[in-house]
Amino acid sequence: MDAVLVDDHKLLIKQQMVYVNHSNDVLDTIYLQNWANAYRDRNTPLAKRLLEDYNKSFYFSKEKDRGYSAIRFLQVNNLGADFSEDQSRADLIWVALKKSLTPGDSIVLNLEYEVRVPNSKYTRYGHGEGNYDLRYWYITPAVYNGKWNLFSNLNMDDYFMEPTDYDIRFSVPIGYRLHTNLPSVPELSSDKVLYTIKDQKRLDVEISIEYDNSFSVYKLDSLEVHTNLRSKNLTENLKEDVLQRQ
């Protein structure tokens, strides 16, 4: 999976997942959990649940503070596939298979989608004060064990999924630091920090992204220089002057 944090609190995601039919049944349809889309509008199960809990903040929220997850591309085994949201639950997706999936067999799904991260004031997951706390931010297969276990995001932290092997490359702008519950390795480039996140047999991936205000930004003609280099002997003006000479 490749994920990039961009402007307007958005994630651009390209994801490949391998789904194995571990059941004894032949499957003609599979379901995906798209819990980031639970913040799309006031009619989702999450919105209704918050209202039932006498939390009216989401119901009266502005569109810019809500989130969504919009699929731009979906293929199964490199072929286009019919898919749609569940009629009454925007955070569940069904995918029709052109060839039945027999027990023990697998398929490869390729997806491209955009996630807008909601304000964190509704469920504590989202963005706030320049930082991000992400959970249930990517799409996963629902669990089939003789029947489909289909659960919506109701702000109960009851995400149901199979243990999964992860290989994620998550890019954040210079000036941000990423922390996760999986092992990660950062790699710095001129305009971003790429975190490689890998592990096996894990459940959901939690990510915290914090703005590192130890970085300063200097504008040099057509360039921007980001640095956390500190010196007690140089003022900010002197540092910019030195960089201009380079």
Side-chain angles (χ1 to χ4, degrees):
M1 182 196 309
D2 294 293
V4 183
L5 176 65
V6 297
D7 294 338
D8 199 26
H9 309 301
K10 290 181 180 179
L11 301 174
L12 304 181
I13 299 175
K14 293 183 179 180
Q15 180 178 359
Q16 182 178 89
M17 67 176 81
V18 178
Y19 178 80
V20 181
N21 183 3
H22 292 294
S23 76
N24 295 320
D25 300 326
V26 176
L27 303 179
D28 295 308
T29 302
I30 65 168
Y31 282 85
L32 306 176
Q33 300 179 118
N34 189 22
W35 276 24
N37 206 36
Y39 301 87
R40 186 182 67 187
D41 56 40
R42 300 168 183 170
N43 300 311
T44 66
L46 175 63
K48 295 175 182 178
R49 175 56 185 257
L50 292 174
L51 201 58
E52 290 172 358
D53 291 340
Y54 304 101
N55 182 347
K56 298 180 181 179
S57 61
F58 186 80
Y59 186 82
F60 292 107
S61 64
K62 298 178 181 179
E63 183 179 355
K64 67 180 181 65
D65 289 329
R66 298 195 292 267
Y68 61 75
S69 176
I71 298 177
R72 310 301 187 197
F73 175 88
L74 189 153
Q75 284 188 338
V76 176
N77 292 337
N78 295 317
L79 296 174
D82 292 330
F83 67 95
S84 181
E85 293 176 2
D86 184 84
Q87 188 171 8
S88 60
R89 293 172 288 185
D91 51 5
L92 296 170
I93 300 167
W94 58 260
V95 181
L97 304 180
K98 293 184 176 180
K99 181 181 178 182
S100 297
L101 186 61
T102 56
D105 283 344
S106 63
I107 55 174
V108 177
L109 294 96
N110 287 287
L111 303 96
E112 295 182 13
Y113 53 103
E114 175 184 293
V115 173
R116 185 166 73 184
V117 179
N119 193 298
S120 61
K121 61 185 176 182
Y122 309 119
T123 64
R124 76 186 179 277
Y125 300 126
H127 70 84
E129 299 181 354
N131 301 323
Y132 296 82
D133 289 304
L134 305 180
R135 196 174 187 189
Y136 319 129
W137 52 275
Y138 57 97
I139 294 174
T140 65
V143 175
Y144 183 87
N145 51 11
K147 66 175 183 177
W148 285 106
N149 295 265
L150 303 177
F151 302 102
S152 283
N153 184 352
L154 299 178
N155 193 31
M156 297 176 64
D157 288 345
D158 58 348
Y159 204 60
F160 186 34
M161 63 177 296
E162 299 280 4
T164 301
D165 297 342
Y166 288 101
D167 184 356
I168 302 171
R169 290 156 299 283
F170 201 119
S171 296
V172 299
I174 292 288
Y176 285 86
R177 290 182 296 177
L178 182 149
H179 307 276
T180 177
N181 58 331
L182 273 63
S184 65
V185 177
E187 180 181 347
L188 181 66
S189 66
S190 60
D191 61 343
K192 65 183 179 182
V193 184
L194 174 64
Y195 289 83
T196 300
I197 304 167
K198 287 185 179 183
D199 210 354
Q200 296 179 326
K201 305 299 182 184
R202 298 295 296 266
L203 296 178
D204 62 306
V205 181
E206 298 180 51
I207 286 180
S208 175
I209 302 171
E210 298 177 343
Y211 182 71
D212 184 355
N213 58 12
S214 66
F215 279 79
S216 297
V217 180
Y218 301 93
K219 296 185 181 295
L220 310 175
D221 297 327
S222 61
L223 296 176
E224 279 189 355
V225 176
H226 300 252
T227 178
N228 61 351
L229 182 63
R230 297 300 179 197
S231 172
K232 295 181 179 179
N233 299 321
L234 291 176
T235 65
E236 292 300 306
N237 287 337
L238 282 173
K239 290 177 189 177
E240 186 169 353
D241 185 54
V242 170
L243 289 169
Q244 290 282 6
R245 298 177 188 177
Q246 301 303 310

